[in-house]
Amino acid sequence: MLRTIRLSLVAAAATALVACGGGAKIGGGKEGAAKAAFQAGQPAGKGANTSGQDLLRQMAAGAATGSAEFSADCAKGGSVKLKLDLTSTGSQDGSVKYKADYNNCNQDGINSYDGSMEIEFKIAGTATSLEMSLRLKGKVDISGTISDSIDADVTETFAATATSATAGMVTIKVDGSIKTSSASYTYANETLNITVDGGLPVDNSGKT
């Protein structure tokens, strides 16, 4: 009898999970999708000791010695395997391209990323500031409080200091497209303000 009750409870829980889709979708419209892409573009681990700028220097140094693959820990667990495109290291515009393979990469302590993206990484300096540009192309699945995915072909530009920001807001310029499992967004050099700390915004509208 006790076993029957336990099995019934398990079945009920499984049914409820299926009915809810296993988790919420990304909310927040364009800003929410852009924040998900921003997190995916921080393979060095936002909030960790290594910033995106430091990683770029490591990769450039590795290319000079013939070492084209790196593994970076994510801020809250998991890792990203980075494979440098050696043909890009001599680019005149200072850009570097690499493939990023996400393995349960957790940046915010709430959601994890799995999948692959091609990322073009460029730093441009002016007399008063240093800007970073990331072009992300590929698809990653997100699990945690969010059960969703982003399929991106987008360029995000922001202050280089944003790569190591762990709180507050950052301003990013977004150009391109991002698709989630339920929506598609197109950006035309749009300037957005996103909150760095906390998880991704949640859309519960489809849950029962």
Side-chain angles (χ1 to χ4, degrees):
M1 180 65 179
L2 181 60
R3 182 182 179 185
T4 301
I5 293 174
R6 286 176 177 171
L7 289 174
S8 297
L9 290 173
V10 169
T15 300
L17 185 61
V18 171
C20 293
K25 303 305 179 184
I26 298 171
K30 282 188 167 183
E31 289 81 2
K35 179 173 180 176
F38 179 80
Q39 286 192 355
Q42 308 307 301
K46 184 180 61 186
N49 292 328
T50 305
S51 70
Q53 299 172 65
D54 293 332
L55 181 64
L56 185 60
R57 295 188 190 100
Q58 289 181 35
M59 295 180 76
T65 60
S67 176
E69 293 190 11
F70 303 82
S71 181
D73 292 333
C74 298
K76 302 295 182 179
S79 63
V80 182
K81 183 179 179 180
L82 306 168
K83 185 173 182 179
L84 183 66
D85 179 357
L86 292 174
T87 63
S88 71
T89 56
S91 175
Q92 292 182 350
D93 64 1
S95 65
V96 174
K97 297 178 183 178
Y98 56 89
K99 180 182 178 183
D101 292 321
Y102 299 81
N103 180 21
N104 202 33
C105 175
N106 192 312
Q107 299 288 78
D108 57 13
I110 302 172
N111 296 295
S112 297
Y113 289 69
D114 288 279
S116 298
M117 279 196 169
E118 293 179 357
I119 302 179
E120 184 174 358
F121 197 131
K122 181 166 61 176
I123 294 179
T126 67
T128 58
S129 65
L130 195 63
E131 276 195 341
M132 185 174 296
S133 174
L134 290 177
R135 183 184 179 195
L136 303 98
K137 187 174 183 179
K139 182 178 179 180
V140 290
D141 296 316
I142 305 170
S143 59
T145 57
I146 297 293
S147 179
D148 208 336
S149 63
I150 55 169
D151 188 347
D153 186 355
V154 68
T155 299
E156 296 189 335
T157 304
F158 42 85
T161 53
T163 59
S164 56
T166 59
M169 303 201 52
V170 296
T171 300
I172 61 176
K173 183 183 290 185
V174 188
D175 188 48
S177 64
I178 302 174
K179 295 179 182 178
T180 68
S181 62
S182 58
S184 179
Y185 305 102
T186 300
Y187 307 81
N189 283 316
E190 297 179 37
T191 299
L192 303 174
N193 294 312
I194 62 172
T195 305
V196 176
D197 47 329
L200 298 173
V202 175
D203 178 8
N204 287 308
S205 61
K207 297 184 72 175
T208 58

